[in-house]
Amino acid sequence: EDKVVQSPLSLVVHEGDTVTLNCSYEVTNFRSLLWYKQEKKAPTFLFMLTSSGIEKKSGRLSSILDKKELFSILNITATQTGDSAVYLCAPNRDDKIIFGKGTRLHILP
Amino acid sequence: SAVISQKPSRDICQRGTSLTIQCQVDSQVTMMFWYRQQPGQSLTLIATANQGSEATYESGFVIDKFPISRPNLTFSTLTVSNMSPEDSSIYLCSVEDVPGQGNGEQYFGPGTRLTVT
């Protein structure tokens, strides 16, 4: 059975801190791993990772995938209050995405 | 990436009634998906909407409860039938960008927040 486990489930930090969000997965016919940010209703696409060890960066956000250990992390440096959201890890298999429960991140000013 | 719109953005419905949610994309896409997100839960795939054929439903979801139409490559509807309070959720449509190239990036519409009383 496909499994996606995100940790921590929730996290509260102060503005300016760096956070690391974790995602472990077990899916059949793995194709890629996606990260999303969900603030209200619609998840916003952040990254797609297909290869191990290649870091993807976008501003203060970065992510990396380990296909051997079935693991991915999402880093956010110099956090801002606008980073407060639920971050979803989503392995993609055979054109179907399996979503984790997410990490709820709250940034205190 | 594709621009996706959904209507309605929210609705409050009485139990026993049905609601049809529309999803419109600004470009032709091969694959469209419908998800449900119940309060406090993550996203669960309901079905893949296939153009010109019946939708493919995930385990636990049936066509009688969630009929789906896909009349062309830019539009789909999801109907939530005979609603009960347990159907109160956010319903989201999504599309896979750059279809056929195996990128796997999916983009989401703004969602429909449904409350059943």
Side-chain angles (χ1 to χ4, degrees), chain B residues 10-14 19 113-117:
Chain B
R10 59 173 59 222
D11 208 340
I12 300 173
C13 301
Q14 293 203 343
L19 176 72
R113 187 183 298 275
L114 171 62
T115 302
V116 183
T117 61

Side-chain angles (χ1 to χ4, degrees), chain A residues 52-69:
Chain A
S52 284
I54 298 174
E55 186 183 51
K56 289 221 172 175
K57 282 182 74 82
S58 176
R60 296 176 293 103
L61 278 65
S62 64
S63 184
I64 198 161
L65 175 68
D66 185 333
K67 289 167 72 173
K68 184 179 175 187
E69 299 296 326

Side-chain angles (χ1 to χ4, degrees), chain B residues 13-18 65 80-85 87 116-117:
Chain B
C13 301
Q14 293 203 343
R15 68 176 69 203
T17 63
S18 298
K65 175 67 177 177
V80 186
S81 303
N82 188 24
M83 288 184 283
S84 67
D87 294 319
V116 183
T117 61

Side-chain angles (χ1 to χ4, degrees), chain B residues 37-60:
Chain B
Q37 186 173 30
Q38 293 177 301
Q41 303 295 314
S42 193
L43 282 75
T44 301
L45 180 63
I46 298 172
T48 302
N50 304 306
Q51 195 268 330
S53 63
E54 266 194 15
T56 305
Y57 289 84
E58 296 298 307
S59 174

Side-chain angles (χ1 to χ4, degrees), chain B residues 18-37:
Chain B
S18 298
L19 176 72
T20 296
I21 302 167
Q22 299 179 8
C23 179
Q24 179 76 54
V25 190
D26 69 342
S27 58
Q28 294 187 340
V29 292
T30 304
M31 304 192 74
M32 293 179 76
F33 307 89
W34 286 99
Y35 288 83
R36 179 177 76 180
Q37 186 173 30

Side-chain angles (χ1 to χ4, degrees), chain A residues 5-61:
Chain A
V5 178
Q6 291 188 245
S7 63
L9 289 180
S10 67
L11 187 57
V12 181
V13 300
H14 285 95
E15 209 167 17
D17 288 350
T18 293
V19 298
T20 298
L21 310 182
N22 306 298
C23 174
S24 65
Y25 64 92
E26 290 179 34
V27 299
T28 54
N29 301 319
F30 175 85
R31 190 162 71 143
S32 62
L33 187 134
L34 310 175
W35 281 96
Y36 289 88
K37 178 183 181 183
Q38 186 176 29
E39 292 175 269
K40 291 183 180 175
K41 290 188 294 185
T44 304
F45 174 80
L46 294 175
F47 295 112
M48 185 184 74
L49 305 160
T50 55
S51 303
S52 284
I54 298 174
E55 186 183 51
K56 289 221 172 175
K57 282 182 74 82
S58 176
R60 296 176 293 103
L61 278 65

